[in-house]
Each structure stands twice: as C-alpha cells, then as structure tokens.
Amino acid sequence: NAGVTQTPKFQVLKTGQSMTLQCAQDMNHEYMSWYRQDPGMGLRLIHYSVGAGITDQGEVPNGYNVSRSTTEDFPLRLLSAAPSQTSVYFCASSYSWASGRALVTGELFFGEGSRLTVL
Amino acid sequence: QQPVQSPQAVILREGEDAVINCSSSKALYSVHWYRQKHGEAPVFLMILLKGGEQKGHEKISASFNEKKQQSSLYLTASQLSYSGTYFCGTEWKQGGSEKLVFGKGTKLTVNP
C-alpha cells in the first residue's frame, strides 16, 4: 500500500530557483492538500483541492502554485524560492462526504514530508 | 484563523491524565485530532462532526461543543507512547469551499 507519496524527501535550493514538490496518492481520494510546518507554527495550509480541476488557497498561498489535472497527483510549485520558504512540507489526501450543505473532510493521510532548505 | 490550542505543553508521569483544548472563532463543521512524533508525519486520532458523530480510535476520547466551537481531547492513563505533539484541525466554510486548518500544537511528554 503506497498511500501518499511525496518526492523529493530533501532538497536544497538557492534563492530565486524554482522547483516542484510532487505528491501522488493511490487511494482515489478527491481531497488533497499541502501544509508547511515550521517550529512553533503548527501545520499551515498552503493550497488544497476538492477534486481534479479544482484548487483553492489556504492560509499561506503566496509564492506557491498548484494544479490538479488528475485525481492522483497534486504538485506544489515554488515559483522563485525565498529563505522564508525553508520548511517541512506535507502533502495529505482524504475522502469527503456531504453533510448538510457542507463537504466534510475525512481522515487525512499524510505523506512522509519533504524538507526544503532555501539558501 | 488558526484554532487556539491549550496548553502549549504538558508533562505527565505514566498513568496520569491530560486534557488538551482547542477553540475556534469560526462556525465549525468538524474537528480533527492528530498526533505527531518527532521527525514523522501526523497520524490521525479522531474526527468529531457537527451533529455529534465521531470517528476514530477506540482508545481515544474527545468532545465537541458546537455552541462554543470548542473541542477537548482526553488522554487517560497515559502511556510512554502517548508522547508527541497533538494538533487539532478545524474545518469551516469560507466562500465556496471548506478549509481544514490546524492549531500550533500541544507538546505532550510522558515520563516513566
């Protein structure tokens, strides 16, 4: 069972470089999201998607781009890396179900994380 | 927007109990609880839904006060394996979609 796969696990970039963090899941989950984790800040939502072709901004979206062309994949792009983007990034996926007028997110399945350092 | 967790840290001896609290200013659809050990990804513990439904591990106990938008996680007869950082996630609707946003975490240390 692969679950949620993130690559790369470690990356060092120079300021201004661009890169893509890959995230793939094999559980046919509609919901996928990216979080960054910094000491003392918890998990902060960057972008999320409730299905192929649909993305939305989280709490800290600036400097990041996402797309969702397939159910399985949800890559995160850093357009021009900055030292402030040094962090551990987690991708997560989940199923959703309708509850009244809301779409409730179920248990999040996290990838192992990607540690990014921007010099 | 982040829910507020309290306390920030707690130290227990094995066998003692602890309560971790989570509060939000938003009208919530659900509250999630996760535990993260150092260097690992967060692991799911429980979901509490508006309306009273709960899904999660049998050994975990939690409550959700929908009127106050508050949730509490109850850790009883703590074991060494309970050590880690606990995060609550709150789900609410902004614009046309629901966001799942986490608090800053509560670090739990259980000593022998």
Side-chain angles (χ1 to χ4, degrees):
Chain A
N1 290 338
V4 179
T5 303
Q6 282 183 241
T7 56
K9 285 187 172 50
F10 301 94
Q11 183 72 47
V12 178
L13 289 177
K14 293 182 179 179
T15 297
Q17 288 184 319
S18 61
M19 75 156 299
T20 299
L21 295 174
Q22 302 290 346
C23 177
Q25 53 91 9
D26 62 358
M27 296 172 280
N28 202 32
H29 286 161
E30 290 296 324
Y31 181 90
M32 295 187 74
S33 56
W34 279 101
Y35 293 89
R36 61 176 288 175
Q37 186 170 36
D38 305 291
M41 298 300 294
L43 296 156
R44 291 185 291 172
L45 181 65
I46 305 172
H47 286 286
Y48 64 104
S49 169
V50 296
I54 305 169
T55 63
D56 208 344
Q57 295 183 348
E59 303 168 272
V60 289
N62 292 341
Y64 306 95
N65 225 350
V66 292
S67 59
R68 184 95 181 270
S69 55
T70 67
T71 299
E72 294 79 20
D73 300 299
F74 191 45
L76 179 72
R77 298 182 186 85
L78 280 70
L79 308 173
S80 177
S84 61
Q85 294 178 304
T86 293
S87 188
V88 178
Y89 292 84
F90 286 100
C91 178
S93 74
S94 181
Y95 51 91
S96 301
W97 70 91
S99 177
R101 296 181 179 179
L103 200 61
V104 179
T105 304
E107 169 188 354
L108 289 179
F109 293 81
F110 284 89
E112 293 184 336
S114 298
R115 183 174 292 276
L116 175 66
T117 302
V118 183
L119 303 175
Chain B
Q1 294 183 351
Q2 278 187 300
V4 177
Q5 288 187 232
S6 63
Q8 290 183 331
V10 59
I11 299 175
L12 300 174
R13 289 200 177 275
E14 207 171 359
E16 292 182 337
D17 302 337
V19 180
I20 300 173
N21 300 302
C22 174
S23 65
S24 174
S25 60
K26 303 291 184 182
L28 302 177
Y29 289 109
S30 69
V31 178
H32 292 223
W33 287 97
Y34 293 80
R35 178 172 59 216
Q36 184 181 31
K37 294 187 179 288
H38 184 69
E40 300 180 4
V43 174
F44 169 77
L45 297 175
M46 176 168 282
I47 294 176
L48 302 103
L49 303 173
K50 188 178 176 180
E53 186 179 356
Q54 298 186 359
K55 298 184 180 183
H57 299 290
E58 292 179 359
K59 293 186 178 181
I60 298 294
S61 174
S63 65
F64 177 23
N65 185 323
E66 295 176 34
K67 289 184 179 179
K68 294 185 177 181
Q69 308 305 328
Q70 294 175 347
S71 178
S72 295
L73 183 69
Y74 305 98
L75 301 168
T76 58
S78 59
Q79 305 172 14
L80 296 177
S81 61
Y82 287 12
S83 291
T85 301
Y86 289 76
F87 293 99
C88 76
T90 53
E91 188 168 32
W92 42 277
K93 195 163 189 171
Q94 178 171 306
S97 61
E98 290 74 18
K99 294 181 186 292
L100 178 51
V101 174
F102 286 90
K104 294 184 178 181
T106 296
K107 185 175 182 179
L108 175 71
T109 303
V110 180
N111 293 319

Coordinates of all heavy atoms in Angstrom, one line a residue, chain A residues 39-108:
Chain A
P39 N 8.8 25.4 13.1 CA 8.8 25.3 14.5 C 7.9 26.3 15.2 O 7.9 27.5 14.9 CB 10.3 25.6 14.9 CG 11.0 25.2 13.6 CD 10.1 25.5 12.5
G40 N 7.0 25.8 16.1 CA 6.1 26.7 16.8 C 4.9 27.2 16.1 O 4.1 28.0 16.6
M41 N 4.8 26.9 14.8 CA 3.7 27.4 14.0 C 2.7 26.4 13.6 O 1.6 26.7 13.0 CB 4.3 28.0 12.7 CG 5.2 29.2 12.9 SD 4.4 30.5 13.8 CE 3.2 31.0 12.6
G42 N 2.9 25.1 14.0 CA 2.0 24.1 13.6 C 2.0 23.8 12.1 O 3.0 24.0 11.5
L43 N 0.9 23.3 11.7 CA 0.7 23.0 10.2 C -0.1 24.0 9.6 O -1.3 24.3 10.0 CB 0.0 21.6 10.1 CG 0.7 20.4 10.6 CD1 -0.3 19.3 11.0 CD2 1.7 19.9 9.6
R44 N 0.5 24.7 8.6 CA -0.3 25.8 8.0 C -0.7 25.4 6.5 O 0.2 24.9 5.8 CB 0.5 27.1 8.0 CG 0.7 27.7 9.4 CD 1.4 29.0 9.3 NE 2.8 28.9 9.0 CZ 3.6 29.9 8.7 NH1 3.1 31.1 8.7 NH2 4.9 29.7 8.4
L45 N -1.9 25.6 6.2 CA -2.5 25.2 4.9 C -2.0 26.1 3.8 O -2.2 27.3 3.9 CB -4.0 25.2 5.0 CG -4.8 24.7 3.8 CD1 -4.5 23.3 3.4 CD2 -6.3 25.0 4.0
I46 N -1.4 25.5 2.8 CA -0.9 26.3 1.6 C -2.0 26.4 0.5 O -2.5 27.5 0.2 CB 0.4 25.8 1.1 CG1 1.4 25.6 2.2 CG2 0.9 26.6 -0.1 CD1 2.7 24.9 1.7
H47 N -2.3 25.3 0.0 CA -3.3 25.1 -1.1 C -4.1 23.8 -0.8 O -3.5 22.9 -0.3 CB -2.7 25.1 -2.5 CG -2.3 26.5 -3.0 ND1 -3.2 27.5 -3.4 CD2 -1.0 27.0 -3.1 CE1 -2.5 28.5 -3.8 NE2 -1.2 28.2 -3.6
Y48 N -5.3 23.7 -1.4 CA -6.0 22.4 -1.3 C -6.9 22.3 -2.5 O -7.1 23.2 -3.3 CB -6.8 22.3 0.0 CG -7.9 23.3 0.1 CD1 -9.2 23.0 0.0 CD2 -7.6 24.7 0.5 CE1 -10.2 23.9 0.1 CE2 -8.6 25.6 0.7 CZ -10.0 25.2 0.5 OH -11.0 26.1 0.6
S49 N -7.3 21.0 -2.7 CA -8.1 20.7 -3.9 C -9.2 19.7 -3.5 O -8.9 18.7 -2.8 CB -7.2 20.1 -5.0 OG -8.0 19.6 -6.0
V50 N -10.4 19.9 -3.9 CA -11.5 19.0 -3.6 C -11.8 18.1 -4.8 O -12.8 17.3 -4.8 CB -12.8 19.8 -3.2 CG1 -12.5 20.5 -1.9 CG2 -13.3 20.7 -4.2
G51 N -11.0 18.2 -5.8 CA -11.2 17.3 -7.0 C -10.4 17.8 -8.2 O -9.9 18.9 -8.2
A52 N -10.3 16.9 -9.2 CA -9.5 17.3 -10.3 C -10.1 18.5 -11.0 O -11.3 18.7 -11.1 CB -9.5 16.1 -11.4
G53 N -9.2 19.5 -11.3 CA -9.6 20.7 -11.9 C -10.0 21.8 -10.9 O -10.3 22.9 -11.3
I54 N -10.0 21.5 -9.6 CA -10.5 22.5 -8.6 C -9.4 22.7 -7.6 O -8.9 21.7 -6.9 CB -11.7 21.9 -7.9 CG1 -12.8 21.6 -8.9 CG2 -12.2 23.0 -6.9 CD1 -14.0 20.9 -8.3
T55 N -8.9 23.9 -7.4 CA -8.0 24.2 -6.3 C -8.4 25.5 -5.6 O -9.1 26.3 -6.2 CB -6.5 24.4 -6.9 OG1 -6.5 25.5 -7.8 CG2 -6.1 23.1 -7.6
D56 N -7.9 25.6 -4.4 CA -8.2 26.8 -3.7 C -7.1 27.2 -2.7 O -6.2 26.3 -2.4 CB -9.5 26.6 -2.9 CG -10.3 27.9 -2.6 OD1 -9.7 29.0 -2.8 OD2 -11.4 27.9 -2.2
Q57 N -7.0 28.4 -2.3 CA -6.0 28.9 -1.5 C -6.2 28.6 0.0 O -7.3 28.7 0.5 CB -5.8 30.4 -1.7 CG -5.3 30.8 -3.0 CD -5.1 32.3 -3.1 OE1 -5.5 33.1 -2.3 NE2 -4.5 32.7 -4.2
G58 N -5.1 28.3 0.7 CA -5.2 28.1 2.1 C -4.8 29.4 2.9 O -5.1 30.5 2.4
E59 N -4.1 29.2 4.0 CA -3.7 30.3 4.9 C -2.5 31.0 4.3 O -2.3 32.3 4.5 CB -3.3 29.8 6.2 CG -4.4 29.0 7.0 CD -3.8 28.3 8.2 OE1 -3.3 27.2 8.0 OE2 -3.8 28.9 9.3
V60 N -1.6 30.3 3.7 CA -0.3 30.9 3.3 C 0.0 30.6 1.8 O 1.0 29.9 1.6 CB 0.9 30.5 4.3 CG1 0.7 31.1 5.6 CG2 0.9 28.9 4.4
P61 N -0.7 31.0 0.9 CA -0.5 30.6 -0.5 C 0.5 31.3 -1.3 O 0.9 30.9 -2.4 CB -1.9 30.9 -1.1 CG -2.4 32.1 -0.3 CD -1.9 31.9 1.1
N62 N 1.0 32.5 -0.8 CA 1.9 33.4 -1.6 C 3.2 32.7 -1.9 O 3.8 32.2 -1.0 CB 2.1 34.7 -0.9 CG 0.8 35.5 -0.9 OD1 -0.1 35.3 -1.6 ND2 0.8 36.5 0.1
G63 N 3.6 32.7 -3.1 CA 4.9 32.1 -3.5 C 4.7 30.7 -4.0 O 5.7 30.0 -4.3
Y64 N 3.5 30.1 -3.9 CA 3.3 28.7 -4.3 C 2.2 28.6 -5.3 O 1.2 29.4 -5.3 CB 2.8 27.9 -3.1 CG 3.8 28.0 -1.9 CD1 3.5 28.9 -0.9 CD2 4.9 27.1 -1.8 CE1 4.4 28.9 0.2 CE2 5.7 27.1 -0.7 CZ 5.4 28.1 0.3 OH 6.3 28.1 1.4
N65 N 2.3 27.6 -6.2 CA 1.3 27.4 -7.2 C 1.0 25.9 -7.2 O 1.8 25.1 -6.9 CB 1.9 27.7 -8.6 CG 0.9 28.5 -9.4 OD1 -0.2 28.7 -9.1 ND2 1.4 29.0 -10.6
V66 N -0.3 25.6 -7.5 CA -0.7 24.2 -7.6 C -1.6 24.0 -8.8 O -2.2 25.0 -9.3 CB -1.5 23.7 -6.3 CG1 -0.6 23.7 -5.1 CG2 -2.7 24.6 -6.0
S67 N -1.7 22.8 -9.2 CA -2.7 22.4 -10.2 C -3.2 21.0 -9.9 O -2.5 20.2 -9.2 CB -2.1 22.4 -11.6 OG -1.0 21.6 -11.7
R68 N -4.3 20.6 -10.4 CA -4.8 19.3 -10.1 C -5.5 18.7 -11.4 O -6.7 18.9 -11.7 CB -5.9 19.3 -9.0 CG -6.4 17.9 -8.6 CD -5.7 17.4 -7.4 NE -6.1 16.0 -7.1 CZ -7.1 15.8 -6.2 NH1 -7.8 16.9 -5.6 NH2 -7.5 14.6 -5.9
S69 N -4.6 18.2 -12.3 CA -5.1 17.7 -13.6 C -5.6 16.3 -13.5 O -6.4 15.9 -14.3 CB -4.0 17.8 -14.6 OG -2.9 17.1 -14.2
T70 N -5.2 15.5 -12.4 CA -5.7 14.2 -12.2 C -6.1 14.0 -10.8 O -5.7 14.8 -9.9 CB -4.7 13.1 -12.6 OG1 -3.6 13.2 -11.6 CG2 -4.1 13.3 -14.0
T71 N -6.9 13.0 -10.5 CA -7.2 12.7 -9.1 C -6.0 12.3 -8.3 O -5.9 12.6 -7.1 CB -8.3 11.6 -9.0 OG1 -9.5 12.0 -9.7 CG2 -8.6 11.2 -7.6
E72 N -5.1 11.7 -8.9 CA -3.9 11.1 -8.2 C -2.9 12.1 -7.8 O -2.2 11.9 -6.8 CB -3.3 10.0 -9.0 CG -4.1 8.8 -9.3 CD -5.2 9.0 -10.4 OE1 -5.0 9.9 -11.2 OE2 -6.2 8.2 -10.4
D73 N -2.6 13.1 -8.6 CA -1.5 14.0 -8.4 C -1.8 15.4 -8.0 O -2.8 16.0 -8.5 CB -0.7 14.0 -9.7 CG -0.2 12.6 -10.1 OD1 0.5 12.0 -9.3 OD2 -0.6 12.2 -11.2
F74 N -1.0 16.0 -7.2 CA -1.2 17.4 -6.7 C 0.1 18.0 -6.4 O 0.6 18.1 -5.3 CB -2.1 17.3 -5.4 CG -2.6 18.7 -5.0 CD1 -3.1 19.6 -5.9 CD2 -2.6 19.1 -3.7 CE1 -3.6 20.8 -5.5 CE2 -3.1 20.3 -3.3 CZ -3.6 21.1 -4.2
P75 N 0.8 18.4 -7.5 CA 2.2 19.0 -7.3 C 2.1 20.4 -6.8 O 1.2 21.2 -7.0 CB 2.7 19.0 -8.7 CG 1.5 19.0 -9.6 CD 0.4 18.3 -8.9
L76 N 3.1 20.8 -6.0 CA 3.3 22.1 -5.4 C 4.5 22.8 -6.0 O 5.6 22.2 -6.0 CB 3.5 22.0 -3.9 CG 3.7 23.4 -3.2 CD1 2.3 24.1 -3.1 CD2 4.2 23.1 -1.7
R77 N 4.3 23.9 -6.7 CA 5.4 24.6 -7.3 C 5.8 25.9 -6.6 O 5.0 26.7 -6.2 CB 5.0 25.0 -8.7 CG 4.6 23.8 -9.6 CD 4.3 24.3 -11.0 NE 3.8 23.2 -11.8 CZ 2.5 22.7 -11.8 NH1 1.6 23.3 -11.1 NH2 2.2 21.7 -12.6
L78 N 7.1 25.9 -6.3 CA 7.7 27.1 -5.8 C 8.2 28.0 -7.0 O 9.1 27.5 -7.7 CB 8.9 26.8 -4.8 CG 8.5 26.4 -3.4 CD1 7.8 25.0 -3.4 CD2 9.7 26.5 -2.5
L79 N 7.7 29.1 -7.2 CA 8.0 29.9 -8.4 C 9.4 30.6 -8.3 O 10.1 30.5 -9.3 CB 6.9 31.0 -8.5 CG 5.4 30.4 -8.4 CD1 4.4 31.5 -8.4 CD2 5.2 29.4 -9.6
S80 N 9.7 31.1 -7.2 CA 11.0 31.8 -7.0 C 11.4 31.7 -5.5 O 10.9 32.5 -4.7 CB 10.9 33.2 -7.4 OG 12.2 33.9 -7.2
A81 N 12.1 30.6 -5.2 CA 12.3 30.3 -3.8 C 12.9 31.4 -3.0 O 13.8 32.1 -3.5 CB 13.2 29.0 -3.7
A82 N 12.5 31.5 -1.8 CA 13.0 32.5 -0.8 C 13.4 31.8 0.5 O 12.8 30.7 0.8 CB 11.9 33.6 -0.5
P83 N 14.3 32.3 1.2 CA 14.7 31.7 2.5 C 13.5 31.5 3.4 O 13.5 30.5 4.2 CB 15.7 32.7 3.1 CG 16.3 33.3 1.9 CD 15.2 33.5 0.9
S84 N 12.5 32.3 3.3 CA 11.3 32.2 4.2 C 10.5 30.9 3.9 O 9.6 30.5 4.6 CB 10.4 33.4 4.1 OG 9.9 33.5 2.7
Q85 N 10.8 30.3 2.7 CA 10.1 29.1 2.3 C 10.8 27.8 2.8 O 10.4 26.7 2.6 CB 9.9 29.0 0.8 CG 8.9 30.1 0.3 CD 8.8 30.1 -1.2 OE1 9.7 30.2 -1.9 NE2 7.5 30.0 -1.6
T86 N 11.9 28.0 3.6 CA 12.6 26.9 4.2 C 11.6 26.3 5.2 O 11.1 27.0 6.1 CB 13.9 27.4 4.9 OG1 14.8 27.8 4.0 CG2 14.5 26.3 5.8
S87 N 11.3 25.0 5.1 CA 10.3 24.4 5.9 C 10.2 22.9 5.6 O 10.9 22.4 4.7 CB 8.9 25.1 5.6 OG 7.9 24.6 6.5
V88 N 9.4 22.2 6.4 CA 9.0 20.9 6.0 C 7.6 20.9 5.4 O 6.7 21.5 6.0 CB 9.0 20.0 7.3 CG1 8.6 18.6 6.9 CG2 10.4 19.9 7.9
Y89 N 7.4 20.3 4.3 CA 6.2 20.3 3.6 C 5.5 18.9 3.6 O 6.2 17.9 3.4 CB 6.4 20.7 2.1 CG 6.8 22.1 2.0 CD1 8.2 22.5 2.1 CD2 5.9 23.2 1.7 CE1 8.6 23.8 2.0 CE2 6.3 24.5 1.6 CZ 7.6 24.8 1.8 OH 8.0 26.1 1.7
F90 N 4.2 19.0 3.9 CA 3.4 17.7 4.0 C 2.3 17.8 3.0 O 1.6 18.8 2.9 CB 2.9 17.5 5.4 CG 3.9 17.0 6.4 CD1 4.4 17.9 7.3 CD2 4.3 15.7 6.4 CE1 5.3 17.5 8.2 CE2 5.2 15.3 7.4 CZ 5.7 16.2 8.3
C91 N 2.2 16.7 2.2 CA 1.0 16.6 1.4 C 0.1 15.6 2.1 O 0.5 14.7 2.8 CB 1.4 16.0 0.0 SG 0.1 15.6 -1.1
A92 N -1.2 15.8 1.9 CA -2.2 14.9 2.6 C -3.4 14.7 1.6 O -3.7 15.6 0.8 CB -2.7 15.6 3.9
S93 N -4.0 13.6 1.8 CA -5.2 13.3 1.0 C -6.3 12.7 1.9 O -6.0 12.2 2.9 CB -4.9 12.4 -0.2 OG -4.7 11.0 0.3
S94 N -7.5 12.8 1.4 CA -8.7 12.3 2.1 C -9.9 12.1 1.3 O -10.0 12.6 0.2 CB -9.0 13.2 3.3 OG -10.1 12.7 4.1
Y95 N -10.8 11.4 1.8 CA -12.1 11.3 1.2 C -13.0 12.4 1.8 O -12.7 13.0 2.8 CB -12.8 9.9 1.5 CG -12.7 9.6 3.0 CD1 -13.8 9.9 3.8 CD2 -11.6 8.9 3.5 CE1 -13.7 9.6 5.2 CE2 -11.5 8.6 4.8 CZ -12.6 9.0 5.7 OH -12.5 8.7 7.0
S96 N -14.1 12.7 1.1 CA -15.0 13.7 1.6 C -16.4 13.2 1.5 O -16.7 12.3 0.6 CB -14.9 15.0 0.8 OG -13.6 15.5 0.8
W97 N -17.3 13.7 2.3 CA -18.7 13.3 2.1 C -19.6 14.5 2.4 O -19.2 15.4 3.2 CB -19.1 12.1 3.0 CG -19.1 12.4 4.4 CD1 -20.2 12.8 5.2 CD2 -18.0 12.3 5.4 NE1 -19.8 12.9 6.5 CE2 -18.5 12.6 6.7 CE3 -16.7 12.0 5.2 CZ2 -17.7 12.6 7.8 CZ3 -15.8 12.0 6.3 CH2 -16.4 12.4 7.6
A98 N -20.8 14.5 1.8 CA -21.7 15.6 2.1 C -22.4 15.5 3.4 O -22.9 14.4 3.8 CB -22.8 15.7 0.9
S99 N -22.4 16.6 4.1 CA -23.1 16.6 5.4 C -23.9 17.9 5.5 O -23.4 19.0 5.7 CB -22.1 16.6 6.6 OG -22.8 16.7 7.8
G100 N -25.2 17.8 5.2 CA -26.0 19.0 5.1 C -25.5 19.8 3.8 O -25.4 19.2 2.8
R101 N -25.2 21.1 4.0 CA -24.7 21.9 2.9 C -23.2 21.9 2.8 O -22.6 22.6 2.0 CB -25.2 23.3 3.1 CG -26.7 23.5 3.1 CD -27.1 25.0 3.3 NE -28.5 25.1 3.2 CZ -29.1 26.3 3.3 NH1 -28.4 27.4 3.6 NH2 -30.4 26.4 3.3
A102 N -22.5 21.1 3.7 CA -21.1 21.2 3.7 C -20.5 19.9 3.1 O -21.2 18.8 3.0 CB -20.6 21.3 5.1
L103 N -19.2 20.0 2.6 CA -18.5 18.8 2.2 C -17.4 18.6 3.3 O -16.5 19.3 3.4 CB -17.8 19.1 0.9 CG -17.4 17.9 0.0 CD1 -18.5 17.1 -0.3 CD2 -16.7 18.4 -1.2
V104 N -17.6 17.6 4.1 CA -16.8 17.3 5.2 C -15.6 16.5 4.8 O -15.7 15.5 4.1 CB -17.6 16.6 6.4 CG1 -16.7 16.3 7.6 CG2 -18.8 17.5 6.8
T105 N -14.4 16.8 5.3 CA -13.2 16.1 5.0 C -13.0 15.0 6.1 O -13.1 15.3 7.3 CB -12.0 17.1 5.0 OG1 -12.3 18.1 4.1 CG2 -10.7 16.4 4.6
G106 N -12.7 13.8 5.6 CA -12.4 12.7 6.5 C -11.0 12.7 7.0 O -10.2 13.7 6.8
E107 N -10.6 11.6 7.5 CA -9.2 11.4 8.0 C -8.2 11.7 7.0 O -8.2 11.3 5.8 CB -9.0 9.9 8.4 CG -7.6 9.4 8.7 CD -7.5 7.9 8.8 OE1 -8.6 7.3 8.8 OE2 -6.4 7.4 9.0
L108 N -7.2 12.6 7.3 CA -6.1 12.9 6.5 C -5.1 11.9 6.5 O -4.6 11.4 7.5 CB -5.5 14.3 6.9 CG -6.3 15.5 6.6 CD1 -5.6 16.8 7.1 CD2 -6.7 15.7 5.2

